Amino acid sequence: MHATAQAQPNIALVKYWGKRDAALNLPAAGSLSITLDALHTRTRVRFDDSLDADDIALNGEHDATQTRKIDAFLDLFRARAGIATRAHVESGNDFPTGAGLASSASGFAALAIAVDRALRLELDAHELSMLARRGSGSAARSIFGGFVEMAPGTRADGEDAFATPLLDARAWPLKVVVAVTSRKKKAVDSRAGMETSQRTSPYYRDWIATVPGDLDAARSAVQARDFEKLGAVSEASCLAMHAVMLATRPALIYWNGATLECIQCVRALQADGTGVFFTIDAGPQVKAVCLPDDATRVADALRAVTGVEEVLISGLGEGARIVEDAHACA
Ligand code: PMV
């Protein structure tokens, strides 16, 4: 009753910010993302009859809040398997955790895949996506690789709110340059931030109304491999989400000075004809999506921006999967 899984974070191009049901973690609108290949989460799960409580170590640390969340997540699988057995969970990331690099997406996707295998549930990918969603909305998308679309669904039970692959990573091998501008954990996590935006941001309703049109535009840009069109809709979606965040009371300002400098850097590169666009999540890191031949130029330019601590270059990768136990956790 054990298994090890690996998953990678995904970056939303059409963003998700707001829920239609908090308890089931149902998104208020759809989203569209790309799964990365250079940042990894490895999660090992072992169910153990001798345990009285789940034993959970994330990056080698035991944290009460995370343990409660993961406990509840494991209960969803225990209910399906008809067991009460507790588990050891060891999970590690080879990138900064909780800093706007989508560690919750890769974390819950890896956990869902590992628990499914450990309990021999053999759930299909859409069921796994639905279950991963219960841990974190964005995790539903990391079950799949390449370009992925998340459906918000309309059913109250959430059985139609899952992700579906749109296009294989190899079919359009874009690169993502991540400019890390701070390794600090963010002050307000996505779940709390979304909830406050929904309640207090005067732009929230308009934001949700823009998403279906953005999704149509992004989906057809992906299908046509139209980089310019995908860039335009992605930057617009990102900035609209941050406008909602800024107008939240109290304001959610996830950017720092270097974040804005990176945006200006990307805009200057665009003006020079470089194939690049930016996107930013609930954190200060800037993700520059680029055409493969332009990745080195983009990385060099972002590395030179004051306040950029590190630049990571990633391709697009596969979805969450089982790996050999010998690989252990990062
Ligand atoms: O599902 P969460 O709690 O990881 O929230 C994701 C929120 C954003 O990263 C800002 C947007 C997105 O669609 O990934």
Side-chain angles (χ1 to χ4, degrees):
M1 288 178 77
H2 62 90
T4 302
Q6 176 176 305
Q8 285 93 244
N10 69 78
I11 307 292
L13 302 183
V14 177
K15 303 291 187 191
Y16 148 59
W17 194 256
K19 302 184 197 293
R20 68 179 171 91
D21 182 302
L24 291 176
N25 213 17
L26 294 170
S31 53
L32 190 150
S33 61
I34 42 180
T35 302
L36 304 183
D37 74 352
L39 315 181
H40 312 100
T41 297
R42 280 261 167 95
T43 302
R44 184 172 201 276
V45 176
R46 184 163 56 87
F47 285 86
D48 178 349
D49 284 323
S50 71
L51 284 180
D52 295 329
D54 291 318
D55 166 36
I56 291 155
L58 302 182
N59 291 318
E61 284 173 24
H62 296 260
D63 170 293
T65 316
Q66 296 296 344
T67 297
R68 265 196 304 280
K69 260 200 209 166
I70 290 170
D71 236 29
F73 187 73
L74 294 175
D75 283 345
L76 301 171
F77 291 80
R78 281 190 277 255
R80 287 189 178 234
I83 59 161
T85 314
R86 304 283 132 182
H88 298 277
V89 175
E90 275 178 87
S91 187
N93 298 324
D94 61 4
F95 59 95
T97 301
L101 285 173
S103 52
S104 66
S106 49
F108 281 105
L111 188 58
I113 298 282
V115 175
D116 174 68
R117 173 61 66 90
L119 295 179
R120 303 281 180 266
L121 289 171
E122 298 184 5
L123 300 171
D124 70 29
H126 283 138
E127 282 179 281
L128 288 166
S129 171
M130 238 178 322
L131 283 163
R133 184 203 78 224
R134 298 287 293 272
S136 147
S138 55
R141 302 184 308 234
S142 270
I143 295 294
F144 301 104
F147 295 79
V148 178
E149 182 167 353
M150 174 72 195
T154 53
R155 288 173 54 155
D157 63 7
E159 293 291 306
D160 54 356
F162 49 75
T164 303
L166 262 187
L167 185 71
D168 196 84
R170 281 159 302 194
W172 199 17
L174 300 179
K175 297 273 187 204
V176 180
V177 176
V178 182
V180 178
T181 65
S182 167
R183 288 163 190 289
K184 282 201 210 106
K185 264 204 157 121
K186 56 192 161 202
V188 182
D189 69 20
S190 312
R191 191 174 291 237
M194 275 183 215
E195 195 272 321
T196 317
S197 289
Q198 194 154 355
R199 230 173 352 96
T200 67
S201 179
Y203 306 148
Y204 179 78
R205 282 218 288 182
D206 288 342
W207 149 249
I208 293 299
T210 65
V211 179
D214 285 352
L215 274 176
D216 288 344
R219 196 185 309 112
S220 58
V222 168
Q223 276 149 4
R225 323 279 200 275
D226 185 335
F227 187 79
E228 219 166 292
K229 189 170 160 194
L230 185 62
V233 67
S234 300
E235 289 186 355
S237 174
C238 161
L239 293 174
M241 177 184 76
H242 283 276
V244 171
M245 292 165 163
L246 289 172
T248 297
R249 300 172 194 201
L252 296 167
I253 307 176
Y254 286 112
W255 298 3
N256 57 31
T259 311
L260 200 50
E261 293 298 327
C262 289
I263 292 176
Q264 303 295 20
C265 171
V266 168
R267 288 171 79 105
L269 287 164
Q270 286 169 338
D272 275 353
T274 307
V276 61
F277 64 84
F278 65 83
T279 188
I280 304 152
D281 293 293
Q285 331 305 359
V286 176
K287 292 104 181 192
V289 181
C290 28
L291 291 172
D293 290 348
D294 287 338
T296 308
R297 183 177 322 147
V298 171
D300 288 347
L302 286 171
R303 203 175 286 116
V305 171
T306 307
V308 170
E309 293 181 2
E310 187 185 359
V311 161
L312 312 166
I313 304 181
S314 178
L316 306 191
E318 303 297 309
R321 61 206 172 278
I322 294 295
V323 292
E324 292 301 317
D325 260 11
H327 286 86
C329 297

